[in-house]
Amino acid sequence: MSPRPHVIFTNGRSGSNYVANLLNAHPHVTNYGEVMGEFSPAFKMHRRLKVWGRSIEEYLDTVLTSRSYFEAAQAFSAAQHVRRRQRPNHKRWATTESVGFKEFGIRFERRGLDDYLAARPHIPVISLVRENTFDRVVSVHRMAQTNEIAAAHSHGPGSDTAISIPVETMLHDLEVYEQEKAYQLGIVNGIDAGRVLHITYEELFASDQAQVDYRADLFDLIGVVDADVESSHRRISDKPIHERLSNYAEIRDAVRASPFAGYLPA
């Protein structure tokens, strides 16, 4: 019997690394992470050679159902872990109960996949949204400027480093990211609610207990027994926003005069 599929549908800097890592910590779950990024070896092969399907829809279906893709992904992951001198998290097809990927709404939109999830009623969808678009913009720029992805994967100056964002860039990005969120939620609202788990970044990281509760909900959605596992990913910084932005006063004044004033802290 083949593993059941699942999809994490989200956008960048919304907690998806945490959720994917948590799913992969379960002994009977595999989440491949992003599968349509230009950096993905499998997606490069699909684009150039039409491996694993001639269309993008066929490619995604293959990712969710193919044993050969699963075995190739396991071998690639093991090689990466060995290169980093880490212990591989090897899974076996015979004992894997759910297989999935995480992807960004922006990639669905760019690749014309508006109906992909709605047309596949057998796929449970984890909808992960960062409601505060202002915080998301800051997080995206923080990653770009410091190379920090999560507290467990820091390669830059450190989470105590304040960053600066030009006002024009902040206002532009707020508008773009708000549009991304609207697209993501529009797709999710077109899916049968019975197979969707809605999670906001803010609720997920509200407390340790919230993470435990959502872990149970996640495993229930994809049809596996709850397991006492943890994600190795953590938030980069819990500092208040004015301590994370060196030009916060300038940014605050500009955002207060924009349609996004409600995202600013009280």
Side-chain angles (χ1 to χ4, degrees), residues 22-41:
L22 179 65
L23 293 177
N24 280 323
H26 193 290
H28 305 304
V29 179
T30 292
N31 185 284
Y32 299 122
E34 298 167 43
V35 295
M36 289 193 289
E38 298 298 336
F39 57 83
S40 166

Side-chain angles (χ1 to χ4, degrees), residues 104-136:
F104 301 149
I106 186 64
R107 290 192 182 130
F108 271 68
E109 184 176 17
R110 288 173 179 170
R111 307 201 189 284
L113 293 168
D114 299 4
D115 300 324
Y116 180 82
L117 295 173
R120 288 159 177 78
H122 61 291
I123 300 179
V125 176
I126 300 158
S127 172
L128 183 58
V129 177
R130 191 162 189 163
E131 290 187 331
N132 192 309
T133 305
F134 180 81
D135 283 350
R136 184 182 165 221

Side-chain angles (χ1 to χ4, degrees), residues 143-253:
M143 182 178 69
Q145 294 184 35
T146 69
N147 294 321
E148 287 181 325
I149 299 174
H153 297 271
S154 175
H155 305 288
S159 59
D160 290 334
T161 304
I163 65 166
S164 175
I165 304 174
V167 169
E168 297 79 7
T169 300
M170 170 60 78
L171 295 175
H172 171 270
D173 288 356
L174 281 168
E175 184 173 348
V176 170
Y177 291 1
E178 195 77 353
Q179 292 171 356
E180 289 181 6
K181 182 168 64 174
Y183 174 83
Q184 178 187 351
L185 294 176
I187 293 295
V188 171
N189 289 337
I191 302 172
D192 176 50
R195 62 182 177 99
V196 178
L197 175 62
H198 295 276
I199 305 176
T200 70
Y201 176 96
E202 289 80 4
E203 292 172 341
L204 178 62
F205 291 106
S207 66
D208 291 343
Q209 186 57 50
Q211 292 171 30
V212 172
D213 294 340
Y214 274 119
R215 183 192 70 195
D217 292 341
L218 284 164
F219 292 148
D220 181 65
L221 179 76
I222 65 176
V224 299
V225 175
D226 191 10
D228 187 15
V229 295
E230 295 183 355
S231 174
S232 65
H233 280 70
R234 296 291 183 270
R235 296 175 66 177
I236 292 175
S237 175
D238 290 319
K239 279 189 171 185
I241 194 70
H242 68 272
E243 294 183 20
R244 286 181 274 152
L245 278 175
S246 60
N247 62 332
Y248 176 73
E250 180 186 27
I251 291 287
R252 178 200 60 207
D253 293 344

